[in-house]
Amino acid sequence: MVFHLNTKNQTDDSMITKQSRVVILTGAGISAESGIRTFRDSDGLWENHRIEEVATPEGWRANPELVWNFYQQRRRQLLNVEPNQGHLALEELENHLENFLLVTQNVDDLHERAGSKNLIHMHGELAKLRCEDCQLVETLMEDQHLLDAFLYCRQCDGRLRPHIVWFNEMPMQMPEIEKALSECDVFVAIGTSGHVYPAANFLHIARNHGAYTIGINLEPPENVHFFDEFIQGKAAEILPYLVQKWIHD
Ligand code: OAD
């Protein structure tokens, strides 16, 4: 189903031109059709765990084995999933535009595997690990890096932790994101529930600076009424169609 809310200025075919400055925010919904579960499923649990258990510094301190095993499972899962038509459509859009930034809350690597280049992982990356002591960050995805045993830093021997932004930690590259939001002409949020800040506030920053705002989601998100336009449906079905329309019209 496709419908529009707040249609004061409904998208016309030339809404996005080659010169438009476009910022896209993606969330778990864009990877759903690649087989990665979203966070806020009806049971309120993330792969059978409470978020506080596996996605907070306190959870890591209380039970590092559990948290490590949890992320090792998520890291191994990356080997079995592929980008979908939604990821691929965003790569095509990027190729068409001169000024494009993709900000993702997702920690999977499906955007980069689809070919996206100007990409910020604001909540970190599963493929990377970080030393708790010297903060060295490395991509470690060989077989020997995906086992259940803890790994240690090759530089200082400190214990490695997931390179993930947990609740109560600072998202990455915020100044760069905020600058792009304040300068963009069009902001599009895709597959995100609008529950988690600061990402949920990007819509308001872009809007307050005059951007046209579009939401694409399976269900109306928390902040749906603030979008100029909302399109309801699956990202992998809607995006190929929309991107073709934006590029060719
Ligand atoms: P959520 O799980 O909160 O929301 C995913 C949204 O995607 C929901 O609103 C679904 O309706 C929608 N959705 C599901 N399938 C879809 C599809 N095929 N196409 C389009 N939309 C679909 O995930 P996020 O908003 O990404 O943070 O969650 C934000 C952050 O909360 C995550 O980055 C994570 C989590 O705690 C950290 O790990 C730090």
Side-chain angles (χ1 to χ4, degrees), residues 177-193:
I177 297 171
E178 281 169 3
K179 181 170 185 297
L181 288 168
S182 67
E183 293 171 355
C184 71
D185 303 306
V186 180
F187 170 78
V188 190
I190 304 164
T192 176
S193 58

Side-chain angles (χ1 to χ4, degrees), residues 13-28:
D13 290 342
S14 57
M15 174 53 67
I16 294 183
T17 66
K18 213 171 172 48
Q19 287 73 37
S20 302
R21 292 162 298 183
V22 175
V23 176
I24 307 263
L25 171 69
T26 61

Side-chain angles (χ1 to χ4, degrees), residues 26-34 36-41 46 51 54-55 71 84 104-107 122-124 164-167 190-197 199 216-222 231-238:
T26 61
I30 196 163
S31 294
E33 281 150 280
S34 293
I36 300 179
R37 278 184 66 179
T38 56
F39 296 94
R40 285 166 190 80
D41 288 333
W46 183 14
I51 296 254
V54 293
Y71 284 96
N84 64 49
T104 187
Q105 298 166 88
N106 298 344
V107 293
M122 64 177 288
H123 288 166
I164 300 288
V165 177
W166 286 323
F167 285 91
I190 304 164
T192 176
S193 58
H195 276 98
V196 174
Y197 285 82
I216 300 169
N217 215 61
L218 192 56
E219 304 289 341
E222 188 78 4
I231 304 167
Q232 184 164 7
K234 292 186 174 177
E237 289 172 6
I238 291 172

